[in-house]
Amino acid sequence: MSEQKSSFEGRWIIVSGASSGIGRAIAIELAHRGAGVVLVSRREDQLKQTALMCANPALTEVLPLDLSDTASILPGIAALVARRGRLYGLCHCAGIVQTLPLAASNPERLRAMFDLNFIAGAELARTLARRDVLSEAGGSILWMASVYAHVGAPGQIGYCASKGAITAAARAMALELAPRKVRVNCLSPGFVRTPMTEGENSRMSEEQWARIAGMHPLGTGRPEDVARAAAFMLDPANVWLTGSDLIIDGGYTLH
């Protein structure tokens, strides 16, 4: 019996934030499933490390971009398409989190979160949806949201707002792009231990970490847990899945 062909075979997917954490894990998972992966981040050295972890170097592209410079996105992707052909998908994982009480949530700090978490993703999606970029067969866009798009937390006003913007925009985008066979979905993870979250909470004690884990009935997550869910949402075989927001949080939001 011949080996079953992967539904990702022959399809290229952009993964932003692929230099570490959840983005890196998703890129590795997609590569393992046969996809061509385009690794996007401003940290070229770390992207090269991610590329070494992917299953097939011939189907891995390193595309260093500073996503805060949205004007660089279209030229960078256009050059990629000229080399590799049209693209199938996008997974926007790049983002920042800052714990800021309301008194410290000035416009500059809020704008920094929105610029990377939402605006950069919107520009990546707009570029992917161009008729000279998107595969003629359609495609799939996945936004990395958060449980904080659904629940609140002290000190997370800007982060909650930026992730809520993602889930709202994705629903509208799913309707707009459906006639072109482009699916748009979100993933909303709970607390996942990554370099970003551990850096943000570096002053926390083990007791505080344990308290956070205790709020998740199945414990805190790993990047690989989110990566498997992302692959499911992006999978070309799931042709009827759009406008969804999959909460993957070890039971955190059940409280």
Side-chain angles (χ1 to χ4, degrees):
M1 183 181 295
S2 61
E3 186 176 345
Q4 185 176 0
K5 182 179 177 180
S6 166
S7 54
F8 285 106
E9 190 172 321
R11 292 176 167 90
W12 283 88
I13 300 174
I14 297 170
V15 182
S16 72
S19 55
S20 66
I22 290 173
R24 172 176 280 177
I26 289 173
I28 293 169
E29 181 70 23
L30 292 172
H32 177 73
R33 296 183 184 222
V37 289
V38 182
L39 311 176
V40 172
S41 168
R42 61 183 180 173
R43 300 184 180 94
E44 185 174 2
D45 56 339
Q46 293 186 35
L47 288 181
K48 290 178 178 177
Q49 292 175 19
T50 303
L52 293 174
M53 301 174 190
C54 291
N56 189 345
L59 292 176
T60 306
E61 283 273 351
V62 169
L63 182 58
L65 288 175
D66 181 354
L67 294 177
S68 65
D69 176 16
T70 52
S72 69
I73 291 174
L74 176 57
I77 291 177
L80 170 74
V81 170
R83 292 195 308 273
R84 291 292 196 172
R86 296 189 186 188
L87 307 177
Y88 165 78
L90 163 67
C91 184
H92 180 53
C93 299
I96 55 173
V97 56
Q98 281 188 300
T99 300
L100 297 170
L102 178 60
S105 298
N106 60 41
E108 291 74 23
R109 286 172 165 169
L110 293 176
R111 192 173 295 115
M113 275 189 277
F114 267 84
D115 280 351
L116 186 55
N117 296 355
F118 176 66
I119 300 297
E123 181 61 13
L124 283 166
R126 188 177 78 92
T127 300
L128 177 74
R130 287 172 57 102
R131 296 187 185 277
D132 56 350
V133 172
L134 182 69
S135 163
E136 292 181 359
S140 182
I141 296 171
L142 181 64
W143 292 80
M144 197 58 55
S146 168
V147 291
Y148 284 157
H150 305 275
V151 300
Q156 299 297 338
I157 295 165
Y159 187 69
C160 289
S162 69
K163 293 300 185 176
I166 284 171
T167 59
R171 290 192 294 271
M173 195 179 294
L175 283 171
E176 182 171 327
L177 296 181
R180 297 181 56 202
K181 298 186 176 1
V182 178
R183 301 182 299 107
V184 185
N185 293 290
C186 292
L187 264 183
S188 287
F191 195 88
V192 178
R193 294 190 75 154
T194 67
M196 182 177 75
T197 57
E198 294 194 7
E200 176 66 15
N201 298 286
S202 59
R203 294 185 297 274
M204 289 171 53
S205 66
E206 283 304 316
E207 290 75 17
Q208 289 172 311
W209 279 109
R211 188 159 56 249
I212 290 173
M215 297 170 68
H216 296 70
L218 296 180
T220 55
R222 302 170 302 157
E224 294 78 13
D225 299 322
V226 182
R228 286 188 288 271
F232 169 78
M233 301 291 274
L234 286 162
D235 194 324
N238 293 324
V239 295
W240 215 40
L241 177 62
T242 197
S244 293
D245 181 7
L246 176 62
I247 295 174
I248 174 168
D249 67 351
Y252 175 80
T253 52
L254 296 177
H255 294 288

